[in-house]
Amino acid sequence: MKLSRNLAWTLLLASPSAATDSLLTPDKLEADIRTEELQNVLWNLNKIARDNGGNRAFGEPGYKASLDFVLERAQKRFAREMDTYVQPFNHTYEKTRKIAVTGPEGEDVFVISPQYNSATPLPGGITAGLIDTPVNDETGSMCLEEQWEGIDATGKLALVKRGVCAVSDKLKFAKAHGALGVILYNQAPGTDYAMPTLGAENIGLVVPVGIIPLEVGESWRSRLAAGEDVVVNLLVDSIAETRETWNIISETKQGDPNKVIMLGAHLDSVQQGPGVNDDGSGTAALLEIMGSVKQYDGFPHKIRFAWWGAEESGLVGSLYYTQHLSESEADKIKYYFNYDMIGSPDPIYAISVDENSGIGPQLLGDYLTSKGVEIEFGEFGGNSDHVGFLELGIPATGLFTGAGKPWDACYHLACDDLDNIHWEALTVNTKAAARTLGTLAHSLEGVPPRATASPNRRTRSRMAQNFRRWAALAEGASHGKMCSHKEGKQVD
Ligand SMILES: *[C@@H]1O[C@H](CO)[C@@H](O)[C@H](O)[C@H]1NC(C)=O
């Protein structure tokens, strides 16, 4: 009789040998995960943000402090069990330090800045008359050359409606038609609107912009239509420069270096908040799983943890890592698990799946189901650090509890703090992750090989399409995330 590897392993675990006391098993990893320890990590990350200007973002001191916090465990406390290195890389840091729009009567107008906005002359900004531009809510306003035909915006601030098409396209055409800047009015009423990104690649190609409410934009439009001169001021104080940042890669000394099971979470937050759920939750999960793994031995596969930098700027750290892997290094990574936002206050339990996910989603799902949690399987979005691994054909899955209302109303906001976590969700998801790792650390049964050449041309071309889309998104260097449950990366 030929025993399956799983069965042989079960028998091994059942054998009453003293040597198995320290044997790593799914049960032990699961049991070691405790809510209080996860709370402790998130308390620390929240404090790091509080002590460093409110965030842990790429290019900010809070990120460096977060890095040091993880290194204090991985590199110092766990030095006997883990090999840890810091992988540096560079990316364009941008920050709008100040933005203001002053109306024709000298009044302050509510305004937000997109990511990668251009600075106006300082300290005075741009004071100029508005020039109105046509609106097209179907195709988007002013993203096509023909929509700008006959418009001479020289020396003016162009008044343009937001929506549908990329803000950066509107700004490039405005520049080509002589505008000094753009006053963009929102497409929906109110002041509760999302921040778009212009993309790091458009630095230097666009004019400064301020995004004001629909109501204000429409009232200025009607004054222009009545023949009035409407003179306003736009002030943008922003900087863009290259800054160095870092990934942390930490792997068990034990295990076959040719068979690596990898877990990743991003360590950076957005500039707007402390990032306790996004992605302190995944960061804490990995730290606690590492703290459990390091107590055991007897596992044949190497376990590698990654804390990614600059995820919020467009998956920059994880893509830097995957793009610098040789073919043979990529071959050695047998599975990648991505944990980004796994403790949302009103959680869904979403497990990502694609053609090549193999047994991973099922292992996660079976555990969660056994705990009475209602799960759903969904496709990967181009939203997180799995993208580079999928590009390489490495089998992958991940957990995700939802971003934006209703799942996480504090998504990318200052209130993504210690109160923005569903502790039971974070605990059960971390246990699911630990258990699943415990299984794959022993057996690759049900794990497909790396998809380097699929015979199915349709699948391949669909994957290639997805990858191009993801790559394009990543290059956009956004703060946003795309997934059925995450807010779209806002470019429009
Ligand atoms: C980042 O940029 C700095 C300054 O240009 C350079 O010295 C450094 O080598 C770069 N680091 C990487 C990892 O490319």
Side-chain angles (χ1 to χ4, degrees), residues 88-90 242 244 320:
F89 59 96
N90 288 329
T242 296
E244 191 177 47
Y320 185 87

Side-chain angles (χ1 to χ4, degrees), residues 245-379:
T245 189
W246 312 271
N247 294 324
I248 298 175
I249 313 292
S250 184
E251 66 181 25
T252 55
K253 292 189 201 266
Q254 280 190 64
D256 183 348
N258 297 312
K259 294 192 175 117
V260 177
I261 311 299
M262 197 162 174
L263 286 72
H266 71 86
L267 186 55
D268 62 313
S269 73
V270 291
Q271 290 177 2
Q272 288 78 11
V276 170
N277 187 32
D278 184 12
D279 182 27
S281 59
T283 291
L286 261 58
L287 274 173
E288 288 312 306
I289 294 170
M290 182 169 73
S292 171
V293 162
K294 77 168 189 74
Q295 307 175 67
Y296 304 114
D297 55 31
F299 49 97
H301 305 151
K302 202 172 270 302
I303 300 170
R304 183 178 298 164
F305 299 92
W307 286 271
W308 306 119
E311 189 267 1
E312 299 290 4
S313 305
L315 321 179
V316 183
S318 56
L319 289 175
Y320 185 87
Y321 177 83
T322 53
Q323 283 160 6
H324 286 80
L325 289 174
S326 67
E327 273 300 302
S328 75
E329 288 166 331
D331 275 338
K332 294 172 184 173
I333 302 174
K334 299 304 178 189
Y335 210 98
Y336 176 72
F337 292 94
N338 197 62
Y339 296 117
D340 186 2
M341 304 186 72
I342 61 168
S344 302
D346 191 359
I348 44 160
Y349 294 84
I351 303 173
S352 28
V353 190
D354 77 357
E355 291 100 336
N356 206 38
S357 290
I359 200 169
Q362 188 194 324
L363 290 173
L364 291 168
D366 285 353
Y367 175 76
L368 290 172
T369 305
S370 80
K371 294 294 158 190
V373 163
E374 198 177 309
I375 56 167
E376 50 187 271
F377 293 101
E379 285 184 22

Side-chain angles (χ1 to χ4, degrees), residues 460-474:
R460 273 176 67 75
S461 97
R462 193 167 65 235
M463 280 170 73
Q465 234 172 35
N466 281 339
F467 296 154
R468 278 195 297 276
R469 210 172 62 224
W470 287 328
L473 283 172

